Amino acid sequence: MTSEADPTASGDPLSPRELAAWRGMLRVHARVTQVLDAEMRDAHGLTVSQYEVLLFLGDAPDHRVRMADLAARVLLTRSGVTRLVDRLVDLGFVERCAAEGDGRGAYAQLTKGGAEVLRAARRTHLRGVREQFLGRLDDDEQEALGDAWLRVLGERG
Amino acid sequence: MTSEADPTASGDPLSPRELAAWRGMLRVHARVTQVLDAEMRDAHGLTVSQYEVLLFLGDAPDHRVRMADLAARVLLTRSGVTRLVDRLVDLGFVERCAAEGDGRGAYAQLTKGGAEVLRAARRTHLRGVREQFLGRLDDDEQEALGDAWLRVLGERG
DNA sequence: GCGAGGTAGTTGCGCGCGCAACTATTCACG
DNA sequence: CGTGAATAGTTGCGCGCGCAACTACCTCGC
């Protein structure tokens, strides 16, 4: 795959630059998600995944979304989404309803209570993301990150 | 906390630039770790966390490390490390030994088999990290990422 | 129409982790 | 010394997730 004379051959240890770029992301991700999760839990009794479901529902037409679409958005499998929605139904923030055209399908739909908690949770989340992450970067750095993610995600797949 | 006239007030939705920087990291992290985990599992029957423990042990003097140091390094709690090491002991790659000076303490120490599997797993991991992540970024982008992580991690705590 | 294959969602199972409580040891201070 | 606080590690418990198997439904070809 890589040339056998490649100076950055597969087996070579990571250079300091590579290490900083790679392990830095791991550390930042771990720390930021942990803080955001704790804040969301303390303030609203939600996990970040649950919040993201509510968010997606809130932005969708009629506040309802097919389960599979939810899974794609939240970076979970279908089974994960099933149980995530289960919990949100138990909490009263979401209800299931059948898809008219498709007897297999099911929508998750935001309830009134869900919309309320979403409004509050959105503030918490945005504040957290800015405090823990975006606020520590200037515009150019944010731009550079966005470009980097596109390259990593785009080049194949 | 933030000025009440701040144009990027807490409640405002994320700008496209902010969104690209933030959600991009989430997507990249999810995808890369998933691929690396699968590769490590298929090739050596290890999780990435297990690999990282072996790696840290391999770099340490006498190939042994205190449990708490392990926890700090692997971004896990102490209880997580206890059971992670349990599994590595079951696999025969690590053994526990008591700390001489401190009756409470315990070292995890790499076995001969552990050192072997580490050598192979290291190649797999490095190749994966380069294929999925570093190889898709040029030197400047890696540098920029490293700087960004320092700023995010450094500014408080 | 009807049977084969694909798709949407759910369920059984096991894994890996964090939290909090617990044990054992060490340290600080009178 | 002796006692209380701190520290190292382990354990009970529950949660959230993925995988694979399963059900129910749709679709396409004949």
Side-chain angles (χ1 to χ4, degrees):
Chain A
M1 191 131 309
T2 59
S3 154
E4 60 274 27
D6 185 354
T8 61
S10 307
D12 291 358
L14 296 182
S15 71
R17 188 205 311 120
E18 291 178 313
L19 226 123
W22 167 241
R23 288 201 67 87
M25 182 178 76
L26 298 183
R27 289 192 57 196
V28 166
H29 180 275
R31 172 132 123 226
V32 173
T33 56
Q34 181 196 340
V35 171
L36 294 185
D37 244 312
E39 287 178 351
M40 189 61 70
R41 180 165 207 81
D42 292 350
H44 311 287
L46 293 176
T47 67
V48 168
S49 289
Q50 290 174 330
Y51 162 72
E52 287 187 333
V53 166
L54 297 184
L55 183 65
F56 193 28
L57 292 179
D59 288 342
D62 295 339
H63 291 179
R64 61 202 180 91
V65 169
R66 290 291 288 261
M67 299 292 288
D69 297 339
L70 226 44
R73 163 78 173 224
V74 190
L75 304 179
L76 252 50
T77 61
R78 285 190 305 271
S79 77
V81 167
T82 292
R83 280 177 278 235
L84 188 46
V85 169
D86 283 347
R87 288 187 286 274
L88 289 171
V89 169
D90 290 346
L91 289 169
F93 299 153
V94 161
E95 52 195 6
R96 280 191 171 80
C97 47
E100 302 93 39
D102 188 338
R104 299 166 299 183
Y107 284 99
Q109 178 159 21
L110 205 59
T111 65
K112 211 164 173 59
E116 258 173 51
V117 88
L118 170 58
R119 195 171 315 128
R122 183 177 243 151
R123 288 174 184 278
T124 302
H125 184 71
L126 288 174
R127 186 170 45 70
V129 170
R130 289 210 169 91
E131 253 179 47
Q132 299 296 322
F133 188 68
L134 295 170
R136 304 182 182 197
L137 302 168
D138 59 36
D139 291 1
D140 289 347
E141 287 171 320
Q142 291 179 13
E143 199 94 41
L145 281 184
D147 292 347
W149 303 142
L150 284 183
R151 292 200 54 182
V152 171
L153 290 168
E155 298 205 356
R156 65 163 151 231
Chain B
M1 194 134 308
T2 58
S3 153
E4 60 275 28
D6 185 353
T8 61
S10 307
D12 291 358
L14 296 182
S15 71
R17 186 206 311 121
E18 290 178 312
L19 223 119
W22 167 241
R23 289 201 66 88
M25 181 178 77
L26 297 184
R27 290 192 57 195
V28 166
H29 181 274
R31 171 133 122 224
V32 173
T33 57
Q34 181 195 339
V35 171
L36 293 184
D37 244 311
E39 286 179 352
M40 188 62 69
R41 179 165 208 81
D42 291 350
H44 312 287
L46 293 175
T47 67
V48 168
S49 288
Q50 290 174 329
Y51 161 72
E52 287 187 332
V53 166
L54 296 185
L55 182 66
F56 193 29
L57 293 179
D59 288 342
D62 297 337
H63 291 179
R64 62 204 180 90
V65 169
R66 290 291 288 261
M67 299 292 287
D69 296 339
L70 227 43
R73 163 78 174 224
V74 191
L75 306 178
L76 251 51
T77 62
R78 273 169 286 138
S79 76
V81 167
T82 292
R83 279 176 281 232
L84 188 45
V85 169
D86 283 347
R87 276 170 245 131
L88 289 171
V89 169
D90 290 345
L91 290 170
F93 299 152
V94 160
E95 51 194 8
R96 280 191 172 80
C97 47
E100 303 93 37
D102 189 338
R104 299 166 300 183
Y107 284 98
Q109 179 159 20
L110 205 58
T111 65
K112 212 165 172 58
E116 260 174 51
V117 87
L118 170 59
R119 194 171 317 127
R122 183 177 243 149
R123 289 176 183 276
T124 302
H125 184 71
L126 288 174
R127 187 171 45 71
V129 170
R130 289 211 169 91
E131 252 179 47
Q132 299 297 320
F133 188 67
L134 296 170
R136 305 183 182 197
L137 302 168
D138 60 35
D139 290 3
D140 289 347
E141 288 172 319
Q142 290 180 14
E143 200 94 42
L145 281 183
D147 291 347
W149 303 142
L150 283 183
R151 292 200 54 182
V152 171
L153 290 168
E155 297 204 356
R156 64 161 151 233

